[in-house]
Amino acid sequence: RKFNLGDWVMIVPNPSFNGNIPFFRFGGRVGQIKQVRAKGYLIWIKYPSKIKKPIVTCYHLKKLYQS
């Protein structure tokens, strides 16, 4: 799957690809792609009082809508 900068995605851990699976607290969170990395995407997630920036591979992302 290909994602572009600015796309809104949801982190959905896929158990069939257990390498680089995101931390369980990020499951179901919605964020915006800010940077494309070699093996994944840097996502900005608004956590209750902070902005978290996990790096997630494309196997664990679901596209919501395009900005």
Side-chain angles (χ1 to χ4, degrees), residues 4-11 26 28-37 40-48 50-56 61 64-65:
N4 300 318
L5 293 177
D7 287 350
W8 287 88
V9 293
M10 178 185 285
I11 297 177
F26 294 129
R29 296 278 180 175
V30 175
Q32 189 174 22
I33 294 179
K34 291 291 183 176
Q35 189 178 35
V36 179
R37 298 281 178 109
Y41 299 93
L42 181 87
I43 302 171
W44 280 24
I45 298 173
K46 186 156 172 43
Y47 220 59
K50 298 180 180 179
I51 292 181
K52 299 288 187 173
K53 302 171 195 165
I55 299 171
V56 183
L61 296 176
L64 293 180
Y65 50 88

